[in-house]
Amino acid sequence: MMAIVFLGLAYMSPFAVFDTFGVVSAETHGHVPASYVLITIAILFTALSYGKMARLFPEAGSAYTYAKKTISSELGFLVGWSALLDYLFLPMINALLSGIYLSASFPHIPVWVWIVSFVFIITVMNIAGIKVAVSANTLFVIFQFLVAVLFIILTARAIISGEGSGSFTVNPFYSQDISLRLLFSGASILALSFLGFDAVTTLAEEAINPTKTIPRAIFLIALIGGIFFITVTFFMQNLYPDVSLLSNINGASPEIAKHIGGIMFQSIFTSGALTSVIASGLAAQTSASRLMYAMGRDGVLPNKWFGYIHKERQTPVYNIIFIGILALSALFLNLVTATSLINFGAFTAFTFVNLSVIVYYLKNKSTLGWKRFIGYGLFPLIGLAFTIYLWFSLDRLAIIFGFSWLVIGFVVLLWITKGFRVKPPEYEFVDN
């Protein structure tokens, strides 16, 4: 089971904890760990729901499959359509992060140079058919964890020696000026750190005793990830209770790395960050292009463009280029709006996974009995309540764009089902 847990942590990318620290610290007035506690609780309840659905429906597709099987194929289609936001715009997040990290190390070079270069490199590599080896995931995760542990040690040393502006206190978790509304707003951004924790649901056919192994693995991945994120940000927040003292809030983490370990450690830290964003960017663009190819092949999207495969390279070239162009939106978005855009799709998936468990219980209440109400009714209801609150704590622009995307999905659904007279086609989701 631990091999599955490790693979799940690789999907999550541990370095995500550093990506949003500065903006969330400013948003929550120095309470990033408290926001992580809230999002971890929400994710853990949702992880229980994922575990139940994975036990009942050990198939690929995750939230899309669960909503389709328990509620309706039409709703499942819309849930899958919403999840497309994660696939299509995750390369954009990685492009934005590459610009943030490299600009911190090379401030005299315009950020757009790094963003355009990053998008160009991963697009060319994916067109050529070059993929990040799956076996390298373990090395990437180990490297990122080692850098993160070193970051914690150096941060603790800096606090003890009186550097920075803080000391060891419980203020990152609770202080007199704490605001629950701002904590949820921060938590809605921090959900980015947990993206991919559910990816191991697709390993059900390969795992030993999957009905027990997969649900436990999902919960452990979320728990370990949450503890790791809370621990790292506790040290960071104690060193810098007020990130306004830093010169660049978006690039707070590399700036802190330089403060605690000098140029040498900042270089190591930036290497870890780039390892994370390049691996994630390559995998995300590959997955999104293959998903769009499957949708084009199955008639969900126009086949002439999205269903095209290059004869020699066997890659969906048009889709890769299209996603690369979308990734260039990083030139015009800030980190809060960009992460909220990604998390809209994630929260939609979380909402309907919790709802799927509740609907399944209501449909099978006579078989499950009242004894199963806590696991199949109360816990997913708590997860649902948390997720809905987080959903509406997202950036306003992301909410408008997200609901507009759903409207487009509904129009597409009307078209391909001929006004709901036929069932929507099924499409296969590909893991990041």
Side-chain angles (χ1 to χ4, degrees):
M1 184 178 70
M2 290 312 298
I4 297 174
V5 171
F6 211 85
L7 184 59
L9 292 172
Y11 276 116
M12 279 174 59
S13 183
F15 238 76
V17 67
F18 298 109
D19 299 338
T20 52
F21 173 77
V23 293
V24 176
S25 183
E27 178 75 15
T28 61
H29 299 167
H31 297 95
V32 178
S35 279
Y36 260 121
V37 170
L38 284 180
I39 189 60
T40 300
I41 292 171
I43 293 294
L44 287 176
F45 277 108
T46 301
L48 291 174
S49 293
Y50 268 104
K52 285 181 170 55
M53 288 289 98
R55 186 181 296 117
L56 293 167
F57 307 108
E59 306 171 26
S62 198
Y64 158 70
T65 297
Y66 305 152
K68 180 182 68 174
K69 295 283 188 180
T70 59
I71 305 175
S72 74
S73 56
E74 290 78 13
L75 185 61
F77 175 90
L78 290 176
V79 171
W81 181 267
S82 179
L84 273 174
L85 287 176
D86 294 356
Y87 287 84
L88 294 178
F89 286 101
L90 195 54
M92 175 267 290
I93 284 284
N94 287 293
L96 183 59
L97 291 173
S98 70
I100 289 172
Y101 283 121
L102 287 169
S103 291
S105 298
F106 307 97
H108 300 298
I109 298 178
V111 66
W112 68 264
V113 172
W114 301 120
I115 292 174
V116 172
S117 299
F118 177 88
V119 172
F120 177 78
I121 289 169
I122 66 169
T123 299
V124 169
M125 291 178 72
N126 269 316
I127 289 175
I130 299 173
K131 300 179 182 178
V132 179
V134 175
S135 58
N137 271 343
T138 300
L139 293 177
F140 288 152
V141 174
I142 290 174
F143 179 61
Q144 291 175 54
F145 265 116
L146 288 176
V147 174
V149 169
L150 183 56
F151 191 100
I152 292 174
I153 293 171
L154 292 174
T155 303
R157 187 190 68 175
I159 295 172
I160 293 171
S161 62
E163 299 178 31
S165 58
S167 58
F168 283 114
T169 69
V170 297
N171 287 342
F173 293 109
Y174 180 79
S175 64
Q176 290 184 343
D177 63 340
I178 197 168
S179 165
L180 189 61
R181 180 183 63 83
L182 294 180
L183 289 184
F184 270 101
S185 179
S188 69
I189 300 171
L190 295 176
L192 178 72
S193 304
F194 289 89
L195 287 186
F197 84 94
D198 60 315
V200 296
T201 56
T202 57
L203 300 176
E205 296 179 8
E206 303 171 40
I208 300 173
N209 196 7
T211 57
K212 290 185 177 180
T213 303
I214 297 299
R216 290 175 181 173
I218 293 172
F219 189 84
L220 272 177
I221 291 164
L223 181 61
I224 293 171
I227 292 172
F228 175 76
F229 298 144
I230 292 167
T231 302
V232 173
T233 54
F234 171 74
F235 282 94
M236 293 174 73
Q237 197 75 85
N238 269 315
L239 181 63
Y240 278 100
D242 183 4
V243 291
S244 66
L245 298 174
L246 298 168
S247 60
N248 182 7
I249 292 178
N250 284 329
S253 296
E255 188 174 338
I256 294 173
K258 182 179 180 181
H259 173 78
I260 62 177
I263 294 292
M264 176 71 75
F265 181 66
Q266 187 187 39
S267 299
I268 296 172
F269 179 84
T270 302
S271 298
L274 288 177
T275 296
S276 175
V277 297
I278 290 173
S280 178
L282 277 169
Q285 193 180 41
T286 299
S287 298
S289 62
R290 289 172 63 197
L291 172 58
M292 294 178 75
Y293 167 73
M295 295 177 75
R297 179 194 59 201
D298 297 338
V300 179
L301 295 173
N303 178 270
K304 186 177 180 180
W305 178 279
F306 296 102
Y308 172 80
I309 285 284
H310 193 280
K311 291 182 180 180
E312 295 179 5
R313 303 188 188 281
Q314 291 298 300
T315 53
V317 176
Y318 295 158
N319 296 346
I320 292 170
I321 294 173
F322 175 71
I323 293 162
I325 293 171
L326 283 181
L328 290 175
S329 59
L331 294 167
F332 313 105
L333 296 176
N334 59 46
L335 191 57
V336 172
T337 302
T339 53
S340 293
L341 192 61
I342 296 291
N343 288 339
F344 183 94
F347 289 159
T348 302
F350 295 167
T351 296
F352 282 96
V353 169
N354 284 308
L355 192 59
S356 294
V357 177
I358 295 171
V359 171
Y360 180 83
Y361 174 75
L362 293 175
K363 287 183 176 180
N364 299 275
K365 187 166 57 176
S366 59
T367 304
L368 294 172
W370 286 104
K371 292 182 179 179
R372 299 288 186 92
F373 171 73
I374 293 178
Y376 282 82
L378 181 60
F379 285 173
L381 188 61
I382 294 172
L384 180 64
F386 262 104
T387 306
I388 290 176
Y389 193 95
L390 288 168
W391 206 7
F392 290 98
S393 298
L394 290 169
D395 179 82
R396 186 183 296 263
L397 181 62
I399 292 176
I400 293 172
F401 184 91
F403 278 110
S404 299
W405 177 256
L406 281 177
V407 170
I408 295 171
F410 185 76
V411 173
V412 171
L413 180 62
L414 280 175
W415 171 55
I416 62 178
T417 60
K418 299 178 181 179
F420 298 116
R421 289 195 296 272
V422 297
K423 289 287 185 182
E426 297 185 5
Y427 48 97
E428 181 182 352
F429 272 81
V430 186
D431 299 323
N432 285 335

